[in-house]
Amino acid sequence: MFELIRSHRRWMQLILLLLIVPSFFLVGIQGYDSFMRQEPELATVAGQPISRAEFDQAHRNQLSQIQQRQGAQFDPAVVDTPALREDLLNQLINQRLLANVAVDNRFTVSDETLRNTIAAIPQFQDNGRFSPERYRQVLVAQGMSPTSFEAGLRRDLAVGRVLDPVGGSAGAPAEVVASLETALTQQRTVQLRRFAAEDYRSQVTVSPADIQSWYDANKQQLQIPEQVQVQYLVLDEAAATQGIQVKDEDLASYYEQNKSRFGQPERRRASHIMIELPPGASEEARKAARAKAEDLAKQAAADPAKFAELATKNSQDLGSAAKGGDLGWLAPGMLPGPLDKAIFSQTKDQVSGVIESPSGLHIIKVTEIQPAAIKPLAEVKDQITGEVRKQLAAVHFSEMASQLNKQVYDQRDSLQPAADAVGLKLRTASGVTREGLLPADKAGPGSAADSPDAELLDNPRVRQILFSPDVLREKQNSGVIELSPAVMLAVRVANVEPAHVPPLDKVSESIRSRLIQERSADAAKKAGEAALAADKANPSAAPEGLAPAVVISRQDPKDLPQPVVDAAMRLPSTPLPGYAGVQSGNDYTLVRLEKVESGNVDEAARARLAQQLAGGLGQAEIEAMLKMLREQYKVQILPSAAEVIRGDQPQAEG
């Protein structure tokens, strides 16, 4: 056959041509090109695609930034949500859109503007001034060259010129600011009458027929979602420390190796006489100060016993002069270099010469010396025991983690062998769902919600793994889940309970409580509405049951429930008194408005309010402009974007 092909090469070329060319007519050149390229497109802006690869790169960068901020608390299952991915795609679309607008309208940035912008970036400054050397160092650390950074910054500044005039020009009219200011600061004097649902419980009856009727009509609300019973192992510091014995020889060895930590360095008590010498003093002033200090040093050296008297009379350090110049007990390094060196080089009662420091001229006398001392082992034994135990536990933890990693895979259908091999207790908990932990009354015995490990089992990563196919359906061991450097978990599904509606006898008491609560609240509301109607019908009569008057505002609601505050503030200012009623939780509150007064606002607060309103209006105008530009540049979000937002497909290779 191959001989036939070689012998009739021209005929074979013609046959291939006849087979390939019609395919272009059937699927089109564009379809053939797409087939060859195989690069998924998520959206288009003016016909230009935003590819899956672009999105994936931005997505990785975004998650990396979040991980740097959150550190050990970072959990992709919590952070990487459909809302975050959708927002990221919209950011990419807006960036492409604004870049097109900047190019089409020839928005440019001058070299001077670019230089000034770079010079103002704090990361490129040294002592508040732009440093070319630091600029290069920062860019090299980020893997960028000055050329690429400046090109990107120039592009970003040009794009910024599209939005700046829109958001920056927004401003709230003075009437709007004044109106909002009044609403925020106006003070209202009100009296309240509360009709508590609890007071009407005794008047409420619930029959078995009522319970049955509610159960039949609301079964969907009672449905318990699919839940699993979990077997799990926890490896943490407590598990690694358990059973560790610290030997006396280990304590002695650790003590000898770390003696310096358990000692007290030499301390000295000293006094001084200080003559002030300001940094900018003239030569004449410096000579006068030094002459005075030299004279005092001679007097002190001649009769060290009178040092305290000389300090009291002559030292210009007011804090210590009153105490005869006493500086208290000092450890090495507590004072500036020259003073520290003098104090720890002199003998007791020796008087120094004149020593200059940034604060002035000093004469020093050492009054007491306490030699360095090491605490005996017996005194620090408890501290050392804890430190050694922690070190041994760290080594043991590492060994246990390695063993646990191996064992959970050696026998995939049970955690008991791993528990026996590592020395961990196999624990069990029920009531874990995809969304969280069921309340104890719905989960039954051994509820995860009531377990000391509730926080571990409610971790989104743990729940995600529990409901993965291998663990959920095949009931295989999970791998080791590292929740933090010091906490590891291995889980296995022991039993799956499908979603179901519990029988009536299991929920009848909760239904009864619910109906009593609802009917008590309804009775309180009816009583409150009747009182409200009576007060409105006869406003001049003295109302009954009102609490003492209280002055409230939106800024100072006096701990009143928000619905009550809203009802009081919405009442018309006239006529007075005004009345309103509002449901707050299960209770009903009658509100009587007695007085309305204007609040006081300073100019600074008014300016802040105007600025906040302007910012909100500016953002609204930017969003409106982006919407208009999306229509103008024919932005399309393609069907493949929905899969990416849901997270259905793995990310493309970068």
Side-chain angles (χ1 to χ4, degrees):
M1 180 177 177
F2 291 107
E3 183 63 32
L4 176 66
I5 293 173
R6 282 195 296 270
S7 302
H8 301 84
R9 187 175 301 170
R10 290 196 177 188
W11 283 104
M12 294 306 298
Q13 289 174 346
L14 178 61
I15 292 170
L16 289 172
L17 185 64
L18 291 174
L19 289 173
I20 293 172
V21 170
S23 68
F24 285 105
F25 292 99
L26 292 173
V27 302
I29 296 292
Q30 183 178 0
Y32 185 77
D33 178 64
S34 297
F35 171 76
M36 294 300 293
R37 186 156 43 90
Q38 292 185 334
E39 180 62 55
E41 297 176 1
L42 306 184
T44 60
V45 179
Q48 302 172 1
I50 293 175
S51 69
R52 176 67 186 267
E54 289 178 76
F55 176 88
D56 288 344
Q57 182 61 49
H59 188 220
R60 284 191 291 270
N61 292 342
Q62 184 182 49
L63 292 180
S64 176
Q65 291 170 3
I66 296 173
Q67 184 175 16
Q68 289 177 4
R69 289 198 303 269
Q70 295 184 351
Q73 301 299 317
F74 175 72
D75 188 344
V78 175
V79 173
D80 190 14
T81 62
L84 178 135
R85 293 190 287 271
E86 183 176 14
D87 182 62
L88 177 60
L89 178 59
N90 280 315
Q91 289 179 35
L92 294 175
I93 291 171
N94 289 340
Q95 289 172 5
R96 180 71 59 81
L97 182 65
L98 294 172
N100 282 352
V101 174
V103 170
D104 292 348
N105 290 275
R106 295 185 173 87
F107 287 148
T108 59
V109 175
S110 68
D111 292 342
E112 183 181 2
T113 300
L114 182 65
R115 284 196 299 270
N116 292 338
T117 302
I118 293 174
I121 296 174
Q123 289 83 349
F124 301 150
Q125 295 178 350
D126 190 3
N127 292 326
R129 301 186 64 182
F130 175 73
S131 167
E133 183 179 353
R134 185 163 180 78
Y135 174 55
R136 288 190 293 272
Q137 289 174 349
V138 172
L139 293 184
V140 168
Q142 295 181 358
M144 300 177 68
S145 68
T147 302
S148 62
F149 172 75
E150 289 164 16
L153 181 58
R154 189 187 294 273
R155 181 182 61 249
D156 292 343
L157 291 173
V159 168
R161 293 186 62 186
V162 179
L163 294 180
D164 288 347
V166 179
S169 62
E175 296 81 1
V176 174
V177 177
S179 177
L180 186 57
E181 177 184 286
T182 299
L184 288 172
T185 62
Q186 189 181 75
Q187 295 181 332
R188 296 193 164 203
T189 302
V190 297
Q191 286 184 284
L192 307 175
R193 182 180 177 186
R194 179 167 165 261
F195 294 84
E198 187 66 28
D199 296 340
Y200 295 86
R201 288 179 68 90
S202 60
Q203 303 175 18
V204 172
T205 58
V206 174
S207 67
D210 294 333
I211 296 173
Q212 181 70 59
S213 177
W214 193 96
Y215 177 81
D216 293 338
N218 297 278
K219 284 186 177 180
Q220 200 63 31
Q221 293 186 40
L222 297 171
Q223 180 168 290
I224 297 175
E226 180 183 38
Q227 60 173 300
V228 297
Q229 184 186 53
V230 188
Q231 290 180 334
Y232 61 102
L233 302 174
V234 178
L235 174 56
D236 55 12
E237 185 178 349
T241 307
Q242 189 173 6
I244 287 182
Q245 299 294 325
V246 181
K247 299 177 182 178
D248 288 341
E249 52 265 34
D250 294 334
L251 294 179
S253 174
Y254 188 87
Y255 175 75
E256 289 298 326
Q257 293 172 16
N258 295 274
K259 259 188 178 181
S260 60
R261 288 182 47 219
F262 307 114
Q264 177 179 288
E266 179 184 356
R267 297 195 309 162
R268 294 191 170 203
R269 190 165 190 167
S271 298
H272 81 146
I273 301 170
M274 188 187 86
I275 303 301
E276 289 182 346
L277 184 61
S282 64
E283 187 62 29
E284 184 179 350
R286 293 181 65 85
K287 287 181 179 179
R290 180 163 286 277
K292 183 175 182 179
E294 294 283 2
D295 181 57
L296 289 169
K298 289 179 182 178
Q299 294 182 52
D303 191 356
K306 292 185 177 181
F307 191 94
E309 182 181 341
L310 287 171
T312 303
K313 292 180 179 179
N314 299 281
S315 180
Q316 294 173 345
D317 176 11
L318 300 181
S320 65
K323 299 181 289 184
D326 183 30
L327 295 171
W329 284 102
L330 302 168
M334 290 180 63
L335 293 180
L339 298 179
D340 187 74
K341 183 178 179 181
I343 291 171
F344 284 91
S345 62
Q346 293 178 198
T347 58
K348 184 181 177 184
D349 295 329
Q350 180 183 351
V351 176
S352 72
V354 177
I355 303 166
E356 185 171 344
S357 82
S359 58
L361 302 173
H362 309 259
I363 302 100
I364 300 291
K365 177 188 175 186
V366 175
T367 56
E368 290 185 65
I369 297 176
Q370 188 178 78
I374 302 294
K375 294 180 181 178
L377 174 59
E379 192 173 328
V380 294
K381 185 174 182 179
D382 290 345
Q383 178 187 346
I384 292 178
T385 301
E387 292 179 7
V388 172
R389 179 177 285 114
K390 185 168 287 190
Q391 287 187 1
L392 294 174
V395 174
H396 193 210
F397 182 94
S398 178
E399 294 170 349
M400 293 174 76
S402 177
Q403 182 76 348
L404 182 62
N405 262 306
K406 177 180 180 298
Q407 291 293 331
V408 294
Y409 289 109
D410 281 355
Q411 187 171 336
R412 296 299 305 274
D413 60 352
S414 174
L415 283 174
Q416 190 62 57
D420 295 339
V422 182
L424 296 174
K425 179 183 178 182
L426 185 60
R427 312 180 195 184
T428 304
S430 59
V432 182
T433 75
R434 295 175 189 270
E435 289 75 32
L437 307 184
L438 289 176
D441 59 337
K442 293 184 179 180
S447 162
D450 280 352
S451 162
D453 304 318
E455 187 176 352
L456 302 180
L457 296 172
D458 197 28
N459 185 285
R461 283 177 59 202
V462 174
R463 288 189 278 108
Q464 186 181 43
I465 290 170
L466 279 170
F467 286 88
S468 63
D470 287 350
V471 178
L472 180 67
R473 301 303 172 201
E474 303 299 327
K475 294 186 173 56
Q476 294 186 357
N477 299 341
S478 73
V480 174
I481 309 166
E482 185 175 347
L483 298 182
S484 74
V487 179
M488 295 181 176
L489 204 68
V491 297
R492 178 178 175 272
V493 172
N495 186 46
V496 180
E497 188 172 347
H500 66 284
V501 176
L504 178 60
D505 63 316
K506 297 289 186 182
V507 293
S508 60
E509 282 307 311
S510 64
I511 295 175
R512 179 188 300 278
S513 298
R514 181 172 186 156
L515 289 175
I516 290 175
Q517 187 179 65
E518 289 176 355
R519 293 178 182 184
S520 299
D522 189 52
K525 182 180 179 181
K526 287 179 179 177
E529 288 176 340
L532 176 63
D535 289 342
K536 284 183 174 180
N538 191 8
S540 59
E544 298 179 356
L546 291 174
V550 60
V551 179
I552 65 169
S553 69
R554 290 196 180 276
Q555 293 179 318
D556 183 16
K558 296 291 192 299
D559 296 327
L560 296 181
Q562 192 60 46
V564 175
V565 174
D566 291 340
M569 301 306 294
R570 287 172 183 161
L571 276 169
S573 300
T574 57
L576 295 177
Y579 289 91
V582 62
Q583 190 98 27
S584 176
N586 293 322
D587 303 334
Y588 186 87
T589 302
L590 186 151
V591 180
R592 183 176 190 265
L593 176 62
E594 296 182 345
K595 188 178 181 181
V596 178
E597 296 176 293
S598 298
N600 296 320
V601 180
D602 58 30
E603 287 301 321
R606 183 177 290 111
R608 285 196 300 271
L609 179 60
Q611 187 177 14
Q612 290 171 355
L613 287 174
L617 290 171
Q619 186 59 40
E621 290 186 6
I622 287 173
E623 291 174 1
M625 190 193 78
L626 288 172
K627 183 177 180 182
M628 178 196 71
L629 290 174
R630 283 192 174 210
E631 295 175 0
Q632 181 180 337
Y633 281 78
K634 296 180 173 56
V635 171
Q636 287 186 318
I637 297 178
L638 304 177
S640 55
E643 299 172 346
V644 174
I645 290 170
R646 288 196 304 267
D648 292 346
Q649 297 181 358
Q651 290 188 348
E653 292 298 324

